[in-house]
Amino acid sequence: MAELMDDVIDIIAEKARIDRAKLELTARLDELNIASLDVVEIVFALEERFDIQMPYNANSTQREFETIGDVVRAVEGLVGEPA
Amino acid sequence: MNRVAITGVGVISPIGQSFATFTQNLFNGHCGIGPITTIPTERLLVKIAAEVVGFDPATHFEPRRIGMLDRVAQFALVATREAMARSALPLDGDRAETTACLIGTGVGGLNTLDDSFLKLYGQGAARVHPFTIPRLMVNAAASHITMEFGITGPAYSIASACSSAGHAIGHAFHLVRSGVVRAAVVGGAEACITVGTMKGWEAMRVMAPDTCRPFSKTRTGMVLGEGAAVFVLETLDDARARGAEVLAELAGAGMSSDAKDITAPDVDGGVRAIRAALRDAGLAAEDVDYVNAHGTGTAANDQTETQSLHRALGARARQIPVSSSKSMFGHALGAAGALELAATVAALRSCTVPPTVNYEETDPLCDLDYVPNTARSAPIRAALSNSFAFGGLNAVLAVRAV
């Protein structure tokens, strides 16, 4: 799964234009100051890359993922699911 | 400078296909949001919208003419007929060329575009229908109105996404007030509940899965709507001279640009537009008795708009009702500002504040009086209608009782 994790972090780094070294698994998304439209594009890119459907609503007060690690685990879970 | 009267209004909406029905449902808190019926939904994640259910073009147009009219132009024409019938605006002699026609629309004939591209790219068709271009062009609605009524003055469409109608009405108001024209047929129309458009909105992750709950802590986003509202504007002097019923005075229009972000709303931009509208109308914050909010039901808009109202109206913001009619007829994008001006005029005329329906729970970030779920009587002498668009383009209209 290390490859998947690298892919997820690559996508976040590219779309949010953040230095990859800052994207540790414990890094919090709200503290990385990723603009809302960038988050939407990251979710889209992850869905395209892994052929998954990620539940994400920009209006939801309940955060689906809070850290980089949460995003990686969410993708892992969805990739593992039968289509 | 002329004072500007509204002497006609017509509405095609998810909560009524006339101004009278619209007003009745608005005050009853009737929610026009439901499962999508006009397009296939198998490929959609969001399967709800506020549709103009039961709109049958055959009852309004000759079969030959329907072929030339996208749904958005059909809505605009039918709303205009009601507005013109109510106003009885004279268009004889030189009145035709001193009357303007401005229609706000966000995207134009999207049903036509979607159908054509499905056939072309999806089904391998060799050609598309020869009316594809005249049906989909963004000015089609305005042009058909000029042709049906013989309006020969300035006519065009104005596009600023969700503020299109607000800008069109504000601009027409300035044309009449300054004397460039004596009258204007103006409003907004939108009909873009198509599979392509819905997928685009889904991808933005701002759509509510179940319903629209503006300003409620439990809100989960916007719901797409459709429809049209059209007004007849003329100088107050002309209206009085010919004994026309004056529904309200259109008193001011304020416009601003955020110049910041292509989708995120901005407190300062909203404040500038509200203040500009008050200045334009010669109103003080204390004169405002009601605000029909943009109130989309997204987390970002409702909280930002609340802050803009606090900053622009000061202490008055807490003293007056602020409601979102989108909770009932969804977000009709380019038509929204016109439908909401119709709601604002209805409120002014009946001294009744339309509610924000589907409201469940107080959000500490949205701390105004949103008139939850039930309409309310209130003295309304002057009111504002807010439109804040993607692209950071804002338009606020001020109306006053006469």
Side-chain angles (χ1 to χ4, degrees):
Chain A
M1 281 308 205
E3 194 185 329
L4 180 146
M5 185 177 79
D6 281 345
D7 279 0
V8 170
I9 295 177
D10 280 345
I11 285 171
I12 297 173
E14 183 205 334
K15 299 297 177 192
R17 297 170 300 277
I18 291 175
D19 183 354
R20 209 181 177 292
K22 289 186 184 155
L23 297 178
E24 294 167 10
L25 291 179
T26 53
R28 296 184 56 86
L29 295 173
D30 51 4
E31 287 168 5
L32 291 165
N33 284 323
I34 304 176
S36 62
L37 206 54
D38 289 337
V39 175
V40 170
E41 210 194 350
I42 288 166
V43 173
F44 168 73
L46 293 171
E47 289 181 337
E48 287 285 284
R49 167 69 182 79
F50 297 105
D51 194 19
I52 53 175
Q53 177 68 49
M54 296 187 78
Y56 173 73
N57 180 336
N59 299 291
S60 179
T61 44
Q62 133 199 5
R63 292 270 157 240
E64 281 88 356
F65 11 81
E66 293 186 343
T67 66
I68 297 292
D70 291 342
V71 179
V72 173
R73 277 184 291 276
V75 173
E76 278 174 358
L78 289 163
V79 168
E81 277 178 18
Chain B
M1 298 271 256
N2 298 304
R3 289 175 72 187
V4 179
I6 300 174
T7 59
V9 55
V11 173
I12 291 292
S13 83
I15 61 165
Q17 298 181 35
S18 69
F19 181 63
T21 316
F22 169 82
T23 301
Q24 189 181 5
N25 284 327
L26 191 74
F27 293 159
N28 286 339
H30 175 75
C31 182
I33 295 166
I36 291 176
T37 61
T38 55
I39 55 168
T41 56
E42 308 86 67
R43 300 184 64 195
L44 302 182
L45 301 173
V46 174
K47 296 174 191 286
I48 58 159
E51 297 176 301
V52 180
V53 175
F55 179 85
D56 179 10
T59 64
H60 300 289
F61 304 99
E62 293 293 315
R64 256 189 88 244
R65 195 153 174 231
I66 293 173
M68 186 50 97
L69 298 172
D70 186 275
R71 185 169 169 91
V72 67
Q74 294 171 13
F75 286 171
L77 277 166
V78 177
T80 304
R81 287 174 185 172
E82 185 190 359
M84 290 296 276
R86 179 155 196 161
S87 165
L89 181 76
L91 285 166
D92 52 324
D94 68 354
R95 294 301 305 266
E97 64 189 80
T98 54
T99 297
C101 177
L102 271 58
I103 297 296
T105 185
V107 287
L110 255 280
N111 280 283
T112 299
L113 193 67
D114 228 53
D115 291 348
S116 301
F117 285 0
L118 174 64
K119 290 190 184 103
L120 190 67
Y121 302 135
Q123 299 166 349
R127 61 190 68 82
V128 298
H129 195 277
F131 297 167
T132 301
I133 299 299
R135 278 173 62 114
L136 74 80
M137 62 191 190
V138 80
N139 59 305
S143 296
H144 283 291
I145 292 168
T146 64
M147 292 186 285
E148 182 163 323
F149 294 94
I151 296 167
T152 57
Y156 39 91
S157 55
I158 287 186
S160 52
C162 317
S163 293
S164 300
H167 277 110
I169 295 164
H171 188 49
F173 161 71
H174 288 144
L175 290 178
V176 176
R177 188 174 65 173
S178 65
V180 172
V181 293
R182 286 175 70 175
V185 174
V186 64
E190 203 78 84
C192 64
I193 299 175
T194 67
V195 174
T197 313
M198 287 298 296
K199 293 308 285 183
W201 281 104
E202 273 179 11
M204 293 215 65
R205 309 277 178 165
V206 293
M207 303 285 272
D210 49 359
T211 195
C212 181
R213 298 186 184 86
F215 301 110
S216 175
K217 187 160 201 272
T218 53
R219 66 193 183 276
T220 52
M222 53 173 274
V223 172
L224 206 59
E226 61 175 356
V230 174
F231 302 86
V232 176
L233 309 183
E234 59 188 299
T235 69
L236 187 59
D237 289 345
D238 277 346
R240 285 186 169 149
R242 69 184 186 86
E245 183 196 11
V246 177
L247 300 170
E249 179 183 2
L250 190 51
M255 310 177 195
S256 73
S257 160
D258 298 344
K260 278 190 182 154
D261 192 278
I262 197 67
T263 55
D266 174 50
V267 175
D268 295 340
V271 170
R272 281 195 300 277
I274 295 166
R275 285 186 178 151
L278 292 176
R279 202 163 49 238
D280 199 49
L283 292 168
E286 290 67 39
D287 299 324
V288 178
D289 296 317
Y290 167 58
V291 177
N292 188 284
H294 187 56
T296 56
T298 64
N301 173 82
D302 295 0
Q303 154 187 355
T304 308
E305 182 170 15
T306 298
Q307 289 181 54
S308 294
L309 287 166
H310 275 298
R311 289 254 313 275
L313 300 179
R316 187 67 176 163
R318 285 188 189 281
Q319 297 162 357
I320 57 172
V322 173
S323 65
S324 168
S325 310
K326 287 187 179 77
S327 61
M328 288 176 269
F329 51 70
H331 192 346
L333 308 176
L339 289 168
E340 287 155 29
L341 182 64
T344 310
V345 168
L348 191 81
R349 285 174 57 74
S350 319
C351 282
T352 304
V353 183
T356 303
V357 303
N358 306 319
Y359 188 92
E360 294 176 329
E361 195 182 325
T362 306
D363 179 350
L365 298 171
C366 299
D367 56 357
L368 297 172
D369 172 7
Y370 302 109
V371 197
N373 302 317
T374 311
R376 183 193 303 163
S377 291
I380 306 176
R381 296 285 307 162
L384 300 179
S385 175
N386 287 347
S387 297
F388 303 140
F390 270 4
L393 311 184
N394 314 302
V396 176
L397 302 171
V399 289
R400 186 160 47 202
V402 286

